[in-house]
Amino acid sequence: MGGMLDKVAGVVYGADYNPEQWDRATWAADLELMRQAGVNLVNVGIFSWAELEPCLGEYRFEWLDDVLDALAAAGIFVNLANATATPPPWFSTCYPEALPVLADGSRLWPGARQAFCPSSPVYREHALRITRLIAERYAEHPALVMWHVSNEIGGRNALCYCDESAAAFRKWLEVRYGTLDELNRAWGTTFWGQRYSEWTQLLPPRRAPTFGNPTHDLDFRRFSSDACLDIYRAERDVIRAVTPDIPVTTNIIPNHRDLDYWRWAPEVDVIAADHYLKAHDPEAHIELALTADVARGLAAGEPWMLMEHSTSAVNWQPRNIAKQPGEMIRNSLQHVARGADSVMFFQWRASRFGAEKYHSAMVPHAGTDSKVWKEVVELGGILSRLHDVVETTLEADVALIFDYESRWALETGSHPTVDVTYLDRVAPLYRATWDSGITVDVVSPDAELTGYKMVLVPSLYITRESTAARIDQFVTAGGHAIVTYMSGIVDEYLHIHPGPHPGAMRDWLGVWVEEFFPLRAGEQVGLDDDSQVEVWTEMLRLDGATPVTTYKDGPLPGVPAVTRHDHGEGTVWYMATRLEDDATARLVNQALKVAGIKPPIPMVTAPSGLEVTRRRGDSGCFLFLINHGSETAHVLAKGHDLVADTAINGRLSLLPGRVAVIQEEAP
Ligand code: GLA
């Protein structure tokens, strides 16, 4: 991984390794199996605080010394955790005030994991203490190539409403607003008589008789994400002071609802993402692709690490569906196709006990005479042939603006309908591009758009003037944009932009909204292209745009539902309603055509479900083809397929379920 993990050659391959659950004979067997699979990195010690310090101040590091020595001797590198993901039972007994509190005031108990308040000073004190001990003890260890801070920070405890959080929230607000007058203005406290006259009156948005102040809620979410980031930073800084040259990261969940990872991205040395398939979703591979693209976006287009995924079923969904033969390899290579330079799993060996004993692993309960193990070894072989893919990057003509804050704001408090949710419009826009083989860069609302040909703007509820101006300039200069309803409505304080909706975008969308007309549950309205819409309609008025489709019936017959506005040198499309997925895809394809955007390769036949990306760099060009569909795909390509390890002389037929990674010949 070049600059990131200098010593680890090629694609990183491995897992969370929890030897504390096993005897020493199993450790020895593990090392031999890791060699067979081609594992070159393991994440060690993530949940080991209670093993390393079973009582306050009483340490047992010897087992970890032995594990690391054995790994080093076997040539396997270590991403060493600072063990803070779960404080030991003694900690919660001594310091019950560090346990997290819910909005209704009830305190959570220990007994699972992550039972701590991110703002707790005493948690911080002890977390930094154990971090320093671990960093100093293993600083020079030959196996150490990376530090793994905590685990999925804030994944289950981001929002804590305790008194410690209240104190930290007040400080955060003082930094943000400076004066109470500013805060009162931003929160609009003249509404419902909420004016604050002392900082001490400010609390987390605890359970109240009715809807809280939306800006209060939003700021608390911002604060909570920052509080998690703050404890990460503190742990990282302790490590950095000891080993300034070893990269530090923490594993994130790119699509997690409680953290604004745009703010985290600059603080980690490498983006390390976890992803688990949504087993109930028959097209879970498209959600996988989107999440991987979010990870690549957080990495600013650079390679990133897939830190965890699963070899087969997980244990925590209502129905944990095992992966079909070949599915794991497809999933893993999908992440690589989208910029990952590592393939790692939770976990190395399936546990015999504990909450996740039914979770799949690289070594399943069934042992090595199993589909999972055989595929683990096969995948190791494939990855060893992909070494030149490392450090190459993807190119995209399309950007999708992704905003964690708009998700928080849209999905908390009172709105025109409960049916408008954030990912609801992200997913079909993304899916339409995925189906067309078009690579999308996921970008923040603050991103520079120059260089793209098209920008997708799903439900960008919070739109800062600067973001609106950037999209305007992008389109004026010849770019193309697709904007969906509930974009451009409020500013960063959740104040409605002045004048008719969508205030921040009205001028360049060429439309304005006289009134929202959300639909009743289950109500469908027909369009003049014979498709149906649901959830949302608006009394749209044209001011420069032209209608693409109009409502045939429902509350607004004859009113435009989708519009097109040629603005400057470019075009902007506005979807004022919730189109069906097929209609969304038709519109996206029309816009792609107008923008002159094409997939990376000519297809002879392009069955649905064929995923195509290209990674490019000094080491060459790599065409990834993943056939998720049920028909054979025929593609024109020349080069060497690194998966099958065969030459491709012009035409490739890719069977359903198969993957090809073609190292292309220079033109
Ligand atoms: C998360 C955690 C792991 C494990 C897996 C199970 O990603 O980081 O410790 O619990 O989920 O899917």
Side-chain angles (χ1 to χ4, degrees):
M1 257 173 116
M4 284 183 234
L5 299 178
D6 286 333
K7 292 187 197 161
V8 188
V11 180
V12 171
Y13 189 40
D16 284 11
Y17 178 40
N18 298 306
E20 60 271 39
Q21 297 176 20
W22 299 96
D23 60 20
R24 287 180 181 240
T26 311
W27 297 3
D30 282 339
L31 293 179
E32 171 51 24
L33 290 173
M34 285 179 194
R35 192 194 57 72
Q36 284 178 29
V39 163
N40 53 20
L41 184 79
V42 285
N43 308 321
V44 178
I46 294 174
F47 296 101
S48 66
W49 190 349
E51 293 298 318
L52 297 172
E53 190 184 12
C55 301
L56 176 58
E58 184 187 316
Y59 300 107
R60 289 192 195 153
F61 281 111
E62 296 70 21
W63 67 271
L64 186 55
D65 298 349
D66 293 349
V67 167
L68 296 195
D69 290 351
L71 286 163
I76 295 165
F77 292 103
V78 170
N79 175 22
L80 185 59
N82 65 339
T84 56
T86 295
W90 60 256
F91 175 82
S92 314
T93 307
C94 294
Y95 308 108
E97 70 274 20
L99 290 163
V101 169
L102 302 179
D104 66 1
S106 57
R107 203 176 270 281
L108 296 177
W109 292 88
R113 60 174 164 176
Q114 282 194 330
F116 62 87
C117 159
S119 303
S120 160
V122 72
Y123 171 79
R124 174 179 293 233
E125 177 194 328
H126 286 276
L128 300 191
R129 182 179 55 76
I130 191 74
T131 298
R132 187 169 297 107
L133 286 173
I134 293 174
E136 284 171 352
R137 188 174 184 99
Y138 298 108
E140 303 293 332
H141 199 283
L144 176 72
V145 289
M146 190 176 206
W147 289 106
H148 186 292
V149 170
S150 198
N151 190 66
E152 294 185 342
I153 299 175
R156 295 145 197 95
N157 60 344
L159 301 177
C160 174
Y161 296 78
C162 75
D163 290 341
E164 308 277 27
S165 295
F169 183 39
R170 270 176 222 124
K171 277 196 195 139
W172 184 93
L173 290 168
E174 281 199 58
V175 171
R176 182 168 172 80
Y177 293 111
T179 65
L180 277 175
D181 279 350
E182 250 326 283
L183 179 143
N184 281 310
R185 186 203 59 75
W187 286 17
T189 54
T190 46
F191 190 82
W192 278 356
Q194 295 174 339
R195 172 167 298 280
Y196 292 91
S197 54
E198 297 281 350
W199 289 99
T200 49
Q201 295 159 359
L202 286 153
L203 294 170
R206 292 174 178 158
R207 195 166 153 193
T210 182
F211 297 112
N213 179 310
T215 318
H216 181 183
D217 286 344
L218 178 64
D219 272 346
F220 185 68
R221 285 194 161 268
R222 289 173 171 144
F223 153 77
S224 299
S225 176
D226 281 359
C228 292
L229 179 56
D230 203 50
I231 184 69
Y232 162 75
R233 269 203 223 102
E235 294 175 48
R236 177 203 63 190
D237 290 349
V238 166
I239 294 170
R240 272 198 184 154
V242 181
T243 57
D245 298 327
I246 301 213
V248 187
T249 194
T250 184
N251 51 336
I252 62 164
I253 313 167
N255 53 7
H256 197 281
R257 197 181 142 165
D258 292 338
L259 290 314
D260 181 352
Y261 287 125
W262 294 122
R263 291 174 65 78
W264 289 58
E267 306 283 350
V268 293
D269 290 330
V270 40
I271 293 291
D274 296 350
H275 180 265
Y276 290 95
L277 282 190
K278 313 277 174 285
H280 60 271
D281 177 359
E283 297 196 315
H285 53 276
I286 303 182
E287 191 274 339
L288 183 160
L290 170 60
T291 309
D293 285 351
V294 177
R296 190 179 72 254
L298 293 166
E302 294 299 314
W304 52 280
M305 287 183 81
L306 174 64
M307 194 61 100
E308 289 181 26
H309 71 317
S310 67
T311 57
S312 191
V314 300
N315 63 288
W316 42 265
Q317 297 182 8
R319 288 162 205 87
N320 297 296
I321 310 302
K323 292 191 181 177
Q324 288 292 315
E327 191 174 357
M328 177 194 85
I329 291 181
R330 277 202 304 285
N331 293 163
S332 300
L333 294 180
Q334 244 193 300
H335 287 286
V336 179
R338 298 189 168 274
D341 274 1
S342 86
V343 170
M344 301 192 77
F345 295 95
F346 175 84
Q347 61 178 331
W348 164 252
R349 183 181 278 280
S351 301
R352 289 190 51 223
F353 40 73
E356 298 194 312
K357 58 181 173 290
Y358 295 114
H359 197 291
S360 59
M362 291 177 86
V363 184
H365 294 300
T368 51
D369 184 11
S370 60
K371 169 203 77 172
V372 166
W373 175 253
K374 286 174 190 153
E375 290 195 10
V376 160
V377 174
E378 185 186 344
L379 178 60
I382 295 169
L383 295 177
S384 72
R385 293 192 289 279
L386 298 191
H387 45 83
D388 283 347
V389 170
V390 165
E391 291 198 317
T392 60
T393 54
L394 286 89
E395 286 163 14
D397 287 332
V398 181
L400 183 151
I401 296 183
F402 188 78
D403 186 26
Y404 296 97
E405 291 197 340
S406 284
R407 185 174 185 190
W408 294 336
L410 257 185
E411 296 177 10
T412 329
S414 65
H415 290 102
T417 170
V418 295
D419 295 328
V420 171
T421 51
Y422 181 69
L423 294 179
D424 183 69
R425 292 299 84 195
V426 173
L429 284 182
Y430 180 81
R431 193 216 144 114
T433 53
W434 188 93
D435 271 338
S436 300
I438 305 294
T439 299
V440 168
D441 277 351
V442 175
V443 302
S444 96
D446 297 324
E448 185 49 65
L449 299 172
T450 317
Y452 292 106
K453 292 183 180 162
M454 180 180 285
V455 59
L456 305 175
V457 190
S459 310
L460 190 65
Y461 178 56
I462 299 177
T463 304
R464 291 170 169 80
E465 297 284 1
S466 56
T467 305
R470 222 173 300 113
I471 304 172
D472 181 6
Q473 283 155 17
F474 170 76
V475 176
T476 307
H480 299 255
I482 300 180
V483 179
T484 77
Y485 56 91
M486 270 297 178
S487 297
I489 305 293
V490 295
D491 66 14
E492 65 178 293
Y493 305 109
L494 302 185
H495 296 201
I496 291 192
H497 285 292
H501 306 303
M505 300 180 168
R506 196 171 56 216
D507 294 345
W508 46 267
L509 282 179
V511 296
W512 57 278
V513 177
E514 185 181 323
E515 194 174 356
F516 294 146
F517 277 76
L519 300 177
R520 293 187 168 79
E523 184 180 357
Q524 295 218 321
V525 170
L527 298 188
D528 59 1
D529 66 357
D530 289 334
S531 64
Q532 302 281 314
V533 301
E534 51 188 9
V535 171
W536 187 260
T537 62
E538 332 184 300
M539 178 64 219
L540 201 64
R541 305 280 296 269
L542 300 177
D543 184 16
T546 51
V548 176
T549 46
T550 53
Y551 303 106
K552 257 193 332 202
D553 48 46
L556 301 168
V559 170
V562 176
T563 61
R564 169 185 176 152
H565 187 216
D566 295 324
H567 174 63
E569 301 294 308
T571 303
V572 54
W573 310 75
Y574 180 59
M575 299 188 190
T577 185
R578 187 178 185 279
L579 299 176
E580 291 166 343
D581 287 1
D582 285 354
T584 304
R586 279 199 299 279
L587 191 82
V588 169
N589 281 316
Q590 190 181 350
L592 288 169
K593 205 168 160 193
V594 172
I597 298 170
K598 296 201 179 83
I601 47 155
M603 313 273 179
V604 184
T605 58
S608 78
L610 181 69
E611 179 163 357
V612 188
T613 68
R614 181 180 274 122
R615 291 184 64 168
R616 197 192 293 271
D618 293 344
S619 52
C621 274
F622 301 86
L623 183 67
F624 285 74
L625 298 160
I626 306 172
N627 193 350
H628 302 275
S630 53
E631 288 168 51
T632 300
H634 302 283
V635 171
L636 296 178
K638 260 190 176 176
H640 191 85
D641 176 6
L642 299 169
V643 175
D645 206 3
T646 52
I648 307 294
N649 295 319
R651 185 179 161 126
L652 167 73
S653 294
L654 193 66
L655 295 173
R658 305 310 290 262
V659 184
V661 180
I662 301 171
Q663 181 152 24
E664 295 172 303
E665 285 170 9

